[in-house]
Amino acid sequence: MKTEKIYSAGIDIGTSTTKMVVSRFLLKNVAGVTHVPRIEIIEKTVLHQSPIIKTPFLNKDMIDMQKIEAFIFQQYQLAQIAPTDISTGAIIITGESATKENAREVVHTIADGAGHFLVATAGPDLESIIAAKGAGTLQQSKNSSKVIANIDIGGGTANIAVMQFGEVIGTCTLHVGGRLIEFQAGKIQSISPPLMRLMEKWPQPLAVGDSAEDVRVSQCVEEMVKTLAMILHGQCQDEGHPLLLGHLPNWHKPVDAIVFSGGVASCIYENDCTQRQYDDLGEKLAKMLLQHEQLQSFLWLQPKETARATVTGAGTQTTDISGATIQVDAEVLPLKNVPVFNCHIDASIDFHTTVKTAVERADDLFTIQDNRSPFALYFSELPYLSFQDVQTLCQAILQHLAIKCSKDIPIIIVIQSDYAKIIGQTIQAIDPTVPILCIDQIKVDTGDYIDIGEVLPSGVVPVVVKTLAFHSK
């Protein structure tokens, strides 16, 4: 096979800034002529990086969707790419922007009109991982036994991903960012709700109209940096902490090294405080991070990308490619936000019992008020399967899933090894009426979600594996 090109876009609508990248992936069959085809992404090239613009708002509760759309289509023109050429990528709405009234509407409107995006939105956990990939930290950790934390600090949040040997071992998100207090003409113009909650115990909290030079502004920044240091040292167990967004840190190894990305990182590493024009805490926060005693005990590493880490990750790092030995009903694609349930096949246990138990447990997990949504059964470690084993497994899958499937709810099977085509074809031979997606060479786990894109000319499908955690705080 010659190389095949696909185009990806990443769009990050953040608290302070909005930016976009357009990338090109080259796909190639890397297996020998006599082997089972193995299509891989052999090259990722960023074709166009947008300028970083201030995120446009109609008012404090509404994002200006028209301005965002105009900006995106202008970038497509500059990249000389049509929106219809985009077959994968991510639109991510991050930080405080994700809390705006029309946040979801903005993301889905853009996703519908601006190309075949797989990830339309992401929870803070996924944002942390995408930023760590875009900053180059995940790649850096592949060659190191050190436990490295990537801290992506934007206008409203700090997204932390902790990794070792190229694997993410935990995440955490804090209300720590450059725009939690904003100034105008030397006075405080706005204070974010998390900081208001933080100051509830103070004898005299800051208020709108107070001086930008008020000593309590520095105290707020100190509290933010102290909280971040405590989280990284494993010293925070307060689930109700006002600066915690969602869950407590869930990694279980001590952090050795830290990397900062995001807008505030530009101040830390490059003395390039793009935040300065926004009249906010960015510069103060960067200086205090550099000076904070508790953070000096970590090894400080440099990122490959700072302010553009999330958008670079969204455009180049979210997509995987399925194996070529797959069986898919193209009419049901693309599919988004499909939850995954890991079905452990044990050669010593009857296939019917294993599949029946997995389907029942997945149904309990993913059915909401009798509305059954599609889910994927994941077979991570299939033993050697004889012809008879394949028949028995496929009959078990059909028996427990066929009665529940339709064009809207196909049978979705994800396999880590190369069994997808034989299993998919066997299911179709037994019952040709059943819509099926059977893909392989993808590694997922229970609790992950996947997006599956349309079939590419080479016969593979782009897949995005997501760890989604939508937090309400």
Side-chain angles (χ1 to χ4, degrees), residues 15 95-96 151-160 173-180 192 194-195 220-229 231 241-245 260 264 281 285 289:
T15 307
E96 299 285 301
I151 306 119
D152 190 76
I153 307 181
T157 53
N159 297 91
I160 306 165
T173 302
L174 298 173
H175 291 288
V176 168
R179 291 195 83 187
L180 295 187
S192 75
L195 277 191
C220 282
V221 178
E222 271 174 39
E223 281 289 336
M224 284 195 262
V225 176
K226 181 177 134 193
T227 303
L228 174 62
I231 289 282
H241 195 292
L243 296 185
L244 185 69
L245 199 168
F260 288 96
V264 171
L281 298 172
L285 182 54
L289 286 165

Side-chain angles (χ1 to χ4, degrees), residues 12 18 20 48 51 60 81 114 190 236 244 253 302 338 341 369 390 401 445 450 463:
D12 176 16
T18 292
M20 177 175 172
H48 174 71
K60 67 182 178 66
I81 294 279
S190 68
C236 181
L244 185 69
K253 294 180 178 180
Q302 287 237 1
V338 177
F341 190 87
Q369 296 172 339
V390 170
L401 278 174
D445 209 342
I450 55 173
V463 179

Side-chain angles (χ1 to χ4, degrees), residues 129-184:
I129 296 165
I130 289 173
K133 287 178 173 180
T137 310
L138 195 66
Q139 184 65 35
Q140 210 174 344
S141 81
K142 282 183 179 175
N143 307 318
S144 171
S145 61
K146 287 186 167 52
V147 177
I148 306 172
N150 191 88
I151 306 119
D152 190 76
I153 307 181
T157 53
N159 297 91
I160 306 165
V162 176
M163 59 217 81
Q164 185 185 35
F165 299 124
E167 295 278 338
V168 175
I169 58 173
T171 57
C172 184
T173 302
L174 298 173
H175 291 288
V176 168
R179 291 195 83 187
L180 295 187
I181 298 179
E182 293 177 273
F183 312 112
Q184 193 170 39

